[in-house]
C-alpha cells in the first residue's frame, strides 16, 4: 500500500494571487499531516516549558544533591547534545525517519522521566546524559520533519509560525510549572512525568504521521547514475550552506548563547536592575516573540530573506547598546532601557532562526537533509556552550562593559556572510514567493540541481539525486 506524500500536492499551490500569510491562513493551507505534527510539537513544547527553569532548584533544594552536581547535570546535557547531534543527522539520512524520529523522543522521555526519581547524584547525572543524547537529535528531527511535511514555498512562513507558537507554548508551560511547584518532591515529580508524557506523545505521532516515501523515491530514482555519496563533506562543499551555517553560528555566539547569561550578569554586577526587573525583561522577550508573528510573518514571503537577516544583526547590535546604557544607569531609567532593549532582541530572533532554517532546507535535498539540519543545530548548541563560557571569563573585566560593547559590534559581523549570501542566492531564490516561479522556468539546473517547480520540489525525494542544489549567482 503506497503512502501519501508528506506535502501538499501541486494543485494546492496558489493560483497566482499572493497567499495570505496570517496565522490562520497558513494553517488552513497546510497539509493535514503538517497540522498534526505542529499540534504535537506545541504539546511537546508545553511539556518542555513545565520543567525548564527548575532543574538546579529541584536537584539541590528538594533532592539535597550538591549544587555543583546539580549545575553539572546541565553541563553534561549540553556536552552530550553537542557530541551526539552530528550522529543523529547522519542517522536521519541513512535510516527510516519512522525509526529514528520516534527513537529520539522516546530517549528524551526516558531521560526527563528519570529526573523524577533522581534522589542520588549518579541517577541525576545518568538522566542528564540521556536527556543530552536526545537533545542532540531533537533539533535535526523537528526541522527535518517539518521540511519534509510542508511545501517548499511555504517553508519560510511556516518556520516563522512554528517558532512563535513553540515559544508561546514553552512560556505557558513555565507559567503552569511555576504555579504547580510548592517545594514538595511529589509536585516536582509530577512536572517531570508530564514532560516525559509529552515526549512519548510526540513519539507516537511521529510513528504514525511521518512518511518515508520521499526517501524511498529518491533511492529509486538513483538508477545507474553516478552521484556523490551523502556525507557531511558533501554538505559543507556547498558555499551557500557554509554561509547559512556561518550566519547561524554568529547569531548563536553573539545572541543565543549570551542573552541568558550576559544580560542578567552584567546588569546585576553593576547594581543597575534587580533580579525581578531582569525576569520582567525575559517575560517581555517571550511575549514579543509571539506577537511578532502577526507583524513579521505576513511579510516573510514578500521580503528578501537576506534583508531579514541583515536587519536582525542591526537590531541585536542596537539591543546590546541599550543594555550597555542600562548598566551605566540605575533605577527607573535602567529598567526602561532594559525593557525597550527586549523588544528588538525578540523581533530579531523571529527573523533569524526561521528564515535560516527554511533557506537551508530549500538548498539541500532529502539525501543530506538530516545532516544539514544537524549542522544547523550544531551551530546553535555550540553557541549555547561558548556563550556562558565567554560570560564567565569576561564579565568580571571592567564590570562587563567591554564584553557588552563587543557584543554590540559582534552582531554586525552577521552582515558579512549575509551580504555574500545575498549575492549568491539572487533575488529569485532569496524571495520565496518569487523563487517558486523562477525555479519553474529556470533551465539552468545542472546534474546536481533541481529543475522542478516549487510545488513539485516540495515532494520529498522529488529533487535530483544530488546533495545540495546549486544556487543562482550574481
Amino acid at each position: 500500500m503506497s503512502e501519501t506524500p508528506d506535502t501538499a500536492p501541486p494543485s494546492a499551490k496558489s493560483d497566482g494571487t499572493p497567499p495570505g500569510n496570517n496565522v490562520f491562513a497558513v494553517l488552513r493551507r497546510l497539509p493535514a499531516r503538517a497540522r498534526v505534527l505542529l499540534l504535537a510539537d506545541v504539546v511537546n513544547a508545553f511539556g518542555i516549558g513545565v520543567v525548564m527553569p527548575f532543574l538546579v532548584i529541584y536537584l539541590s533544594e528538594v533532592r539535597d544533591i550538591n549544587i555543583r552536581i546539580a549545575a553539572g547535570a546541565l553541563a553534561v546535557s549540553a556536552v552530550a547534545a553537542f557530541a551526539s547531534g552530528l550522529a543523529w543527522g547522519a542517522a536521519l539520512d541513512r535510516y527510516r525517519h519512522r525509526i529514528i524520529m520516534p527513537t529520539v523522543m522516546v530517549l528524551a522521555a526516558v531521560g526527563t522521566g528519570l529526573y523524577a526519581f533522581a534522589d542520588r547524584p549518579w541517577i541525576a547525572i545518568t538522566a542528564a546524559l540521556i536527556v543530552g543524547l536526545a537533545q542532540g537529535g531533537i533539533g535535526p528531527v523537528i526541522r527535518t520533519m517539518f521540511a519534509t511535511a510542508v511545501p517548499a514555498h511555504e517553508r519560510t512562513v511556516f518556520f516563522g509560525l512554528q517558532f512563535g507558537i513553540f515559544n508561546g507554548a514553552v512560556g505557558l508551560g513555565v507559567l503552569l510549572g511555576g504555579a504547580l511547584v510548592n517545594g514538595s518532591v511529589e509536585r516536582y515529580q509530577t512536572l517531570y512525568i508530564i514532560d516525559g508524557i509529552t515526549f512519548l506523545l510526540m513519539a507516537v505521532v511521529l510513528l504514525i504521521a511521518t512518511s518515508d516515501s520521499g526517501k524511498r523515491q529518491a533511492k529509486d530514482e538513483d538508477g545507474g547514475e553516478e552521484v556523490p555519496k551523502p556525507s557531511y563533506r558533501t554538505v559543507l562543499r556547498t558555499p551557500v550552506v557554509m554561509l547559512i551555517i556561518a550566519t547561524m553560528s554568529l547569531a548563536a555566539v553573539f545572541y543565543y548563547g549570551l542573552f541568558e547569561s550576559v544580560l542578567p550578569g552584567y546588569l546585576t554586577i553593576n547594581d543597575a536592575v534587580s533580579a525581578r526587573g531582569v525576569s520582567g525583561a525575559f517575560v517581555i522577550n517571550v511575549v514579543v516573540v509571539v506577537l511578532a508573528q502577526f507583524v513579521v510573518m505576513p511579510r516573510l514571503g514578500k521580503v528578501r530573506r537576506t534583508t531579514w537577516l541583515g536587519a536582525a544583526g542591526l537590531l541585536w547590535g542596537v539591543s546590546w547598546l541599550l543594555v550597555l546604557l542600562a548598566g551605566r544607569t540605575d533605577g527607573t531609567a535602567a529598567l526602561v532601557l532594559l525593557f525597550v532593549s527586549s523588544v528588538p532582541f525578540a523581533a530579531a530572533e523571529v527573523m533569524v532562526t526561521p528564515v535560516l532554517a527554511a533557506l537551508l532546507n530549500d538548498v539541500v535535498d532529502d539525501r543530506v537533509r538530516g545532516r544539514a539540519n544537524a549542522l544547523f543545530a550544531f551551530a546553535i548548541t555550540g553557541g549555547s556552550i561558548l556563550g556562558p563560557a565567554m560570560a564567565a571569563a569576561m564579565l568580571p573585566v571592567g564590570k562587563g562593559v567591554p564584553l557588552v560593547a563587543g557584543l554590540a559590534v559582534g552582531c554586525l559581523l552577521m552582515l558579512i556572510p549575509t551580504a555574500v549570501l545575498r549575492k549568491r542566492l539572487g533575488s529569485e531564490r532569496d524571495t520565496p514567493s518569487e523563487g517558486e516561479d523562477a525555479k519553474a522556468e529556470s533551465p539552468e539546473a545542472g546534474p546536481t540541481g533541481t529543475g522542478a517547480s516549487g510545488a513539485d520540489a516540495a515532494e520529498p525525494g522529488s529533487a535530483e539525486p544530488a546533495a545540495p542544489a546549486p544556487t543562482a549567482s550574481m
Side-chain angles (χ1 to χ4, degrees), residues 248-434:
M248 189 67 248
S249 298
L250 289 171
V253 170
F254 290 106
Y255 173 67
Y256 290 106
L258 288 163
F259 179 72
E260 295 184 7
S261 53
V262 170
L263 187 142
Y266 168 70
L267 293 171
T268 54
I269 202 174
N270 285 283
D271 296 320
V273 177
S274 67
R276 180 174 294 181
V278 172
S279 66
F282 278 80
V283 171
I284 291 174
N285 181 267
V286 173
V287 171
V288 174
V289 164
V290 176
L291 294 180
Q293 304 307 305
F294 299 96
V295 178
V296 174
M297 200 178 75
R299 296 166 176 81
L300 279 177
K302 302 173 184 177
V303 179
R304 291 181 67 152
R305 289 184 275 201
T306 51
T307 299
W308 291 115
L309 298 175
L314 292 172
L315 285 173
W316 276 336
V318 169
S319 293
W320 282 120
L321 284 176
L322 291 172
V323 171
L324 180 66
L325 293 175
R328 309 306 295 165
T329 57
D330 57 21
T332 302
L335 197 62
V336 169
L337 285 169
L338 173 60
F339 286 175
V340 171
S341 74
S342 298
V343 175
F345 267 137
E349 192 175 341
V350 174
M351 298 175 187
V352 172
T353 305
V355 168
L356 285 174
L359 183 56
L360 178 68
N361 281 282
D362 281 353
V363 299
V364 299
D365 71 20
D366 288 325
R367 301 179 191 286
V368 292
R369 194 177 303 282
R371 289 177 173 89
N373 282 297
L375 285 170
F376 193 82
F378 193 71
I380 297 174
T381 306
S384 68
I385 294 174
L386 182 59
M390 288 174 58
M394 298 184 64
L395 267 177
V397 178
K399 288 193 171 183
V401 172
L403 173 59
V404 177
L407 292 178
V409 176
C411 288
L412 301 181
L413 294 176
M414 282 180 58
L415 300 179
I416 298 174
T418 297
V420 181
L421 188 60
R422 186 183 187 94
K423 182 178 179 180
R424 283 192 169 272
L425 287 173
S427 61
E428 71 277 6
R429 298 287 306 251
D430 204 0
T431 308
S433 58
E434 293 180 9

Side-chain angles (χ1 to χ4, degrees), residues 66-224:
N66 187 289
I67 193 167
R68 292 182 178 177
I69 296 175
L74 292 174
V76 168
S77 289
V79 171
F82 190 71
S84 64
L86 297 184
W88 285 117
L92 281 168
D93 291 337
R94 190 172 300 166
Y95 304 111
R96 296 184 63 189
H97 287 169
R98 275 187 170 163
I99 295 174
I100 301 302
M101 290 184 176
T103 298
V104 169
M105 298 302 167
V106 169
L107 198 61
V110 170
T112 194
L114 189 58
Y115 274 132
F117 308 98
D119 56 352
R120 299 179 185 179
W122 70 268
I123 300 178
I125 296 300
T126 301
L129 179 61
I130 296 172
V131 167
L133 291 174
Q135 285 175 342
I138 289 173
V141 162
I142 295 298
R143 293 186 185 93
T144 300
M145 172 184 78
F146 284 130
T148 55
V150 176
H153 61 283
E154 298 279 16
R155 281 183 189 142
T156 300
V157 173
F158 175 80
F159 273 110
L161 170 67
Q162 185 268 340
F163 186 80
I165 293 178
F166 183 92
N167 279 276
V170 169
L172 290 175
V174 171
L175 290 175
L176 177 65
L180 288 179
V181 294
N182 62 0
S184 68
V185 172
E186 292 77 13
R187 286 292 181 91
Y188 280 100
Q189 285 180 316
T190 300
L191 297 186
Y192 284 100
I193 290 172
I194 289 173
D195 190 26
I197 290 172
T198 63
F199 276 116
L200 288 177
L201 174 65
M202 190 69 172
V204 172
V205 172
L206 287 171
L207 188 63
I208 297 171
T210 301
S211 170
D212 290 295
S213 59
K215 291 170 71 70
R216 289 199 297 272
Q217 182 180 339
K219 185 178 289 187
D220 293 340
E221 289 175 354
D222 282 353

